[in-house]
Amino acid sequence: MYRVQGTLREWVTRDEVRRFIAKKFKEFLLTFVKKGSSDIEYVRLINEMVLANKCSLEIDYKQFIGTHPNIAIWLADAPQPVLEVMEDVAKNVVFSLHPNYKRIHQKIYVRITNLPVYDQIRNIRQIHLNTMIRIGGIVTRRFRNSYSEVKVGSCPECQSKGPFSVNIEQFLRKGIN
């Protein structure tokens, strides 16, 4: 089950992998016990979330990677498809523990906390696209000049260096954002 075939983003969208992630995440939510405690941590957090009428469940990445390291790495490297599965499982678990809660919130969001890698906002680059990152920093100024020349270094999809053609009609309709 752990041998990735193809790109990780494609692989985690396969049905059998999604089912595996769902099974392990549900198991994590319903059985994880923090050291020094006898309570099931995420059942307690779900109860607190419902009591506060919230719809976001915070998952501690360090706790998750300690229990399911492979899935945690998949989450960091391909967050969108893995989070989709995790949110679906979280919704099912919350609504099974609190059946009437679906009248208040139809969707439960999974938020990841305690991601161990921390980058400054000024160090964010193209390599960080479509991965989970933790950033810090302050935006002090935003500069926008709609007439500035834009030079493209490489394609974010295929890393091609060009040459690139510009669709003038589309450019003039959308402008520079």
Side-chain angles (χ1 to χ4, degrees), residues 89-104:
V89 169
K91 179 182 75 168
N92 292 337
V93 169
V94 169
F95 294 162
S96 71
L97 295 173
H98 302 277
N100 294 328
Y101 201 61
K102 63 180 104 184
R103 291 188 216 156
I104 298 167

Side-chain angles (χ1 to χ4, degrees), residues 5-114:
Q5 298 169 354
T7 68
L8 181 62
R9 283 183 187 85
E10 293 168 353
W11 192 73
V12 295
T13 61
R14 294 173 54 178
D15 286 338
E16 65 270 19
V17 177
R18 290 174 62 87
R19 282 192 302 273
F20 175 78
I21 293 168
K23 176 183 169 194
K24 293 300 182 182
F25 185 61
K26 181 178 181 182
E27 176 185 293
F28 174 77
L29 290 178
L30 296 174
T31 63
F32 181 81
V33 177
K34 206 174 186 179
K35 285 185 182 177
S37 175
S38 60
D39 293 341
I40 298 172
E41 178 73 4
Y42 288 97
V43 170
R44 182 185 64 77
L45 290 174
I46 287 169
N47 292 335
E48 287 177 8
M49 179 192 76
V50 168
L51 193 60
N53 198 21
K54 294 184 176 182
C55 60
S56 292
L57 178 63
E58 292 185 355
I59 304 298
D60 187 309
Y61 186 84
K62 290 181 181 176
Q63 292 173 349
F64 190 60
I65 199 168
T67 307
H68 298 293
N70 288 68
I71 299 173
I73 291 168
W74 302 341
L75 171 63
D77 291 342
Q80 186 175 3
V82 177
L83 276 172
E84 286 172 7
V85 174
M86 293 173 87
E87 287 181 345
D88 191 45
V89 169
K91 179 182 75 168
N92 292 337
V93 169
V94 169
F95 294 162
S96 71
L97 295 173
H98 302 277
N100 294 328
Y101 201 61
K102 63 180 104 184
R103 291 188 216 156
I104 298 167
H105 292 289
Q106 288 73 43
K107 186 162 174 66
I108 302 298
Y109 299 95
V110 170
R111 304 289 183 234
I112 306 299
T113 62
N114 240 345

Side-chain angles (χ1 to χ4, degrees), residues 107-170:
K107 186 162 174 66
I108 302 298
Y109 299 95
V110 170
R111 304 289 183 234
I112 306 299
T113 62
N114 240 345
L115 200 65
V117 178
Y118 181 82
D119 289 309
Q120 288 295 320
I121 198 165
R122 68 177 61 132
N123 297 333
I124 303 303
R125 300 290 181 260
Q126 177 183 342
I127 193 168
H128 295 100
L129 287 174
N130 298 317
T131 63
M132 186 170 293
I133 57 172
R134 178 178 165 196
I135 60 169
I138 299 171
V139 177
T140 57
R141 178 174 33 159
R142 184 175 171 209
F143 179 79
R144 182 177 175 173
N145 180 354
S146 60
Y147 299 106
S148 64
E149 181 180 338
V150 176
K151 293 187 179 184
V152 179
S154 65
C155 173
E157 287 291 318
C158 67
Q159 277 54 45
S160 170
K161 300 289 183 192
F164 301 106
S165 60
V166 177
N167 183 334
I168 296 298
E169 290 177 20
Q170 186 179 14

